[in-house]
Amino acid sequence: MPLFLRLTALTCGLFLLVILQASGYIRPPVPLPPPEIEMQTEWSPEELQKPPNIIILLSEAFWDITQIKSLHFSEDPAPMFHALQEKFTHGTLLSPMFGGGTANVELEVLTGHSMRFFPEDSTPYEQYIKQPTASLASLLSEQGYATTAISPFYHWFFNSSEVYKHLGFSRFISLEYFNPDEYVGPYIGDHAVVRRIIEETERSPGADFIFANTMENHYHYWPGKFKKNHIEVKGHLSNTAKGIAETYAQGMSGADRALQELILHFSRLKEPTIVVFFGDHLPSLEKLQVYKESNYIGGEDDPDFLEKMHNTPVVIWSNYLPKESKEELHMSPSFLGPYVLNLAKRPGSPYTDYLSDLYRKMPVLPPKAYYEAMNIDVNLVKQYEDRQKAILELEKQAAAASAPGAVHGDTTGAAGGVDAYSEDASNAVSAGGAGDTVNGDAVAGSDASNATGRADAAGSDVSSAAAEAGTADNSDVNPAAGRAGMADNSPSGSTGTGDASDTAGSAGAAGGDTKGKPFILGYGEPLIERVSPASLTVGGDTFGRSQLTVHGGRYGLGCTVFINGEAQQTTWQSESSLSVNLPKTLTTHAGTLDVQVRVVDSKNRVLAASRLIKVPVQEKKH
């Protein structure tokens, strides 16, 4: 090539580079290869005797889109997940949901209760979990575990802060406690969730049970959701469907990177740890458009719709279990909790033991329409349904009996009333009442020989929740806004009235605890260590401006600076600093400003508040 042409090409290339840099072009990240995931072999017998950390990570709408064979991807969107599948226990969960309903899948995993026995289109978190309810969290809490729930969405969504308290978690880190710089697209990135999982295990000296879910790959999947897509999809798709598929693959890549970060961290620790990673439901991919155009399914009436559109991936990694323990799973989410308890060699309850046994006989519970095709034993289903209803009814009774003003007396037969969640009174836990016992086991029906009515779970199954109903605070009967997660009983915990004088914690900031253990929303009260400048001048600076910076922590999205009881426009600088530009009216005259940091949710309810700091406003010195 002549020198002139080479110089011209070089000049054009440099010019293009300058243009791209000036336009804010960001080179797409190059995915890291999955790390070596060989088993840790240097464990002492003493180390192996320790209760393992149990971390369950629900990855929003995670599904392996590479299963659509007519699509071709420029790179593997989930290399870590696929590498784990090769060497560790993995398989599928028959999700009761499609395209949404995360809370219902959570319920199955945490409690062992099946959505098949609740009314169609119901959300038990919002309608039925209104009292202490036995779960993995309450069970492991009794065994000394620190129990934490993490969700990068509003604390009030799906009534989460109340529900997690009822399920026995001691801490819930919600969206209000994440940071403004942790968004990836319209939602908090998965890496931020993993960061908090790691922080929480480092916070506690003993074993941890952490249940976390993510949001980065939540609906929608239209092009432009993320700043850059580095995965290209090819196939016989319209441009619209192609863009949707690429957006989903990009979100899937973010989930996989977070999974890799989590596994890498715990692979380096000498703490026995089990990580469960699964998808809660398949993405809708915008009214099935990608599925249809790719010929993965023919439509909602596809004969394989349940098989193809309700099976979500799951993988279970451990840094200490032997390789030969690898299994291939296919189960309903309600059996996952008991399975993990057995894997971790942790004591269960009569109910989790029952579910473990049932799993071996009936690993999946499909909708009724599939019973015959899938050889489902209806008697086993009936037994499961009766046990679940009896346990929930007993928990409801225990909470009612322990509520303020309740008449304490003989509640035998109380379960014979209308069933807690049945639309038909005839489906109630029947006649004899759960208060009757045979051989020490509570029986839901009057016929003691009817094993399907047995609620032997009524003992230790509900001991971690229903039997402790008396510890619930008045939030069950007077759900004041924001009370679900106040950090403690400090006088600085605000009730959300906007009046600093009302910051007394609103009747039990740490209420709703299980066996006296407090429930903390986020990181508790924000702290103010100092304010700079330490004093202000009347009239502000030369331009009439005044700025305050509050130093302390731990500050997140919900943190707002209040001055004299009024919210100020707050700029988040870091987890340890917030700044405000003061209105001129605050520095017109000499006096004192009361400065406070409050955690405020999207409904303007105050969840927690710092102590007051007084900042003097002084006349200018001449």
Side-chain angles (χ1 to χ4, degrees):
M1 179 185 292
L3 179 61
F4 171 75
L5 292 178
R6 281 185 286 173
L7 289 174
T8 300
L10 178 61
T11 301
C12 290
L14 291 173
F15 179 75
L16 178 61
L17 179 61
V18 170
I19 292 295
L20 289 173
Q21 289 177 335
S23 65
Y25 172 78
I26 301 174
R27 182 179 179 182
V30 178
L32 300 172
E36 289 296 322
I37 46 179
E38 294 300 321
M39 300 298 294
Q40 169 65 258
T41 56
E42 299 178 357
W43 293 95
S44 68
E46 293 75 22
E47 289 169 334
L48 291 174
Q49 290 299 312
K50 293 180 180 178
N53 297 317
I54 299 174
I55 298 167
I56 301 180
L57 180 57
L58 182 161
S59 184
E60 170 62 34
F62 186 86
W63 177 68
D64 191 353
I65 195 173
T66 65
Q67 291 185 69
I68 303 181
K69 299 306 179 186
S70 63
L71 300 184
H72 303 281
F73 300 81
S74 60
E75 63 186 64
D76 185 352
M80 184 65 187
F81 177 77
H82 290 140
L84 292 174
Q85 280 183 313
E86 292 293 322
K87 294 189 177 183
F88 294 90
T89 293
H90 70 282
T92 57
L93 303 178
L94 184 62
S95 175
M97 312 307 297
F98 170 76
T102 298
N104 290 349
V105 184
E106 276 193 25
L107 175 89
E108 290 210 0
V109 173
L110 287 171
T111 66
H113 298 325
S114 174
M115 282 304 301
R116 308 295 184 202
F117 308 138
F118 288 96
E120 191 174 353
D121 299 326
S122 66
T123 304
Y125 272 15
E126 295 178 333
Q127 297 153 324
Y128 309 115
I129 309 301
K130 297 183 179 295
Q131 61 283 319
T133 301
S135 76
L136 287 177
S138 60
L139 187 64
L140 290 170
S141 177
E142 290 179 346
Q143 298 175 30
Y145 276 70
T147 56
T148 305
I150 302 172
S151 176
F153 209 56
Y154 303 110
H155 80 98
W156 49 259
F157 196 67
F158 287 136
N159 201 28
S160 295
S161 52
E162 283 296 317
V163 168
Y164 287 141
K165 178 171 64 175
H166 288 321
L167 294 180
F169 286 98
S170 58
R171 184 184 299 274
F172 172 34
I173 301 173
S174 57
L175 175 65
E176 294 83 4
Y177 298 89
F178 284 77
N179 300 337
D181 63 354
E182 291 179 315
Y183 279 91
V184 177
Y187 300 106
I188 294 293
D190 291 3
H191 69 93
V193 175
V194 166
R195 175 195 167 196
R196 279 157 182 78
I197 292 173
I198 293 170
E199 284 179 348
E200 290 308 302
T201 59
E202 291 175 342
R203 176 200 297 271
S204 69
D208 285 273
F209 171 63
I210 297 179
F211 185 89
N213 61 50
T214 66
M215 285 293 291
E216 182 175 337
N217 208 18
H218 192 278
Y219 169 87
H220 67 88
Y221 306 105
W222 298 111
K225 176 180 179 180
F226 302 113
K227 287 183 179 179
K228 279 289 179 182
N229 282 11
H230 65 265
I231 298 176
E232 184 180 0
V233 178
K234 293 183 178 180
H236 296 294
L237 299 175
S238 65
N239 287 336
T240 299
K242 178 177 178 292
I244 294 168
E246 289 180 344
T247 298
Y248 180 77
Q250 183 67 31
M252 183 180 174
S253 176
D256 192 71
R257 282 171 163 269
L259 174 62
Q260 177 170 325
E261 181 183 351
L262 187 67
I263 298 302
L264 274 175
H265 174 80
F266 286 102
S267 68
R268 296 167 181 154
L269 287 188
K270 291 301 290 291
E271 292 183 17
T273 301
I274 294 172
V275 174
V276 181
F277 176 89
F278 72 97
D280 53 340
H281 55 73
L282 269 69
S284 66
L285 296 184
E286 319 315 89
K287 297 182 179 179
L288 306 178
Q289 185 171 355
V290 174
Y291 302 112
K292 291 178 180 178
E293 287 193 24
S294 65
N295 293 317
Y296 184 68
I297 60 169
E300 292 187 45
D301 59 349
D302 191 299
D304 297 325
F305 193 91
L306 182 73
E307 177 68 23
K308 290 183 176 180
M309 307 301 282
H310 281 268
N311 277 313
T312 64
V314 59
V315 66
I316 301 177
W317 173 87
S318 170
N319 61 358
Y320 74 100
L321 294 173
K323 286 184 178 181
E324 54 268 23
S325 64
K326 175 185 174 183
E327 292 186 67
E328 188 155 347
L329 306 176
H330 181 49
M331 64 170 61
S332 287
S334 58
F335 297 129
L336 182 61
Y339 180 89
V340 173
L341 283 175
N342 290 334
L343 197 64
K345 293 182 169 54
R346 303 314 301 159
S349 67
Y351 188 48
T352 62
D353 292 345
Y354 162 76
L355 292 175
S356 295
D357 181 64
L358 182 60
Y359 164 63
R360 289 187 284 271
K361 301 171 184 175
M362 185 182 69
V364 295
L365 179 56
K368 285 184 179 179
Y370 292 86
Y371 283 6
E372 184 175 354
M374 298 178 69
N375 296 315
I376 299 299
D377 186 334
V378 294
N379 291 322
L380 291 177
V381 176
K382 185 65 168 62
Q383 291 173 20
Y384 188 2
E385 182 176 14
D386 285 348
R387 282 174 181 263
Q388 176 174 314
K389 287 185 174 183
I391 291 168
L392 287 169
E393 183 62 24
L394 283 166
E395 291 169 338
K396 185 179 179 182
Q397 289 177 37
S402 301
V407 178
H408 295 277
D410 185 8
T411 58
T412 300
V418 176
D419 180 85
Y421 52 87
S422 173
E423 294 174 325
D424 183 347
S426 66
N427 290 330
V429 180
S430 61
D436 297 334
T437 60
V438 176
N439 295 328
D441 290 330
V443 180
S446 58
D447 182 358
S449 65
N450 181 3
T452 66
R454 291 170 62 86
D456 49 353
S460 57
D461 286 337
V462 295
S463 64
S464 58
E468 300 303 323
T471 64
D473 68 5
N474 291 337
S475 62
D476 292 325
V477 291
N478 182 22
R483 288 180 46 208
M486 301 297 287
D488 59 24
N489 288 324
S490 169
S492 62
S494 174
T495 65
T497 64
D499 184 349
S501 65
D502 288 336
T503 58
S506 186
D513 54 349
T514 299
K515 292 194 172 178
K517 296 180 181 178
F519 177 84
I520 299 174
L521 186 58
Y523 303 107
E525 293 182 356
L527 301 176
I528 299 181
E529 295 174 350
R530 63 186 177 89
V531 175
S532 60
S535 64
L536 299 167
T537 57
V538 172
D541 62 14
T542 306
F543 301 98
R545 298 173 304 191
S546 299
Q547 185 182 65
L548 276 180
T549 300
V550 177
H551 305 272
R554 176 172 181 173
Y555 303 146
L557 276 161
C559 284
T560 299
V561 175
F562 280 68
I563 298 181
N564 296 342
E566 296 292 330
Q568 306 298 315
Q569 187 67 42
T570 303
T571 300
W572 184 89
Q573 295 182 330
S574 71
E575 291 180 352
S576 58
S577 65
L578 305 169
S579 67
V580 291
N581 292 316
L582 302 184
K584 292 182 180 180
T585 55
L586 290 175
T587 56
T588 303
H589 306 287
T592 302
L593 302 181
D594 289 333
V595 180
Q596 186 179 48
V597 175
R598 302 181 187 177
V599 182
V600 183
D601 69 13
S602 63
K603 296 186 177 183
N604 260 348
R605 297 178 300 192
V606 177
L607 308 180
S610 73
R611 65 189 179 98
L612 290 173
I613 295 289
K614 294 187 178 296
V615 177
V617 180
Q618 303 169 338
E619 296 287 351
K620 293 181 180 178
K621 294 180 180 180
H622 299 287

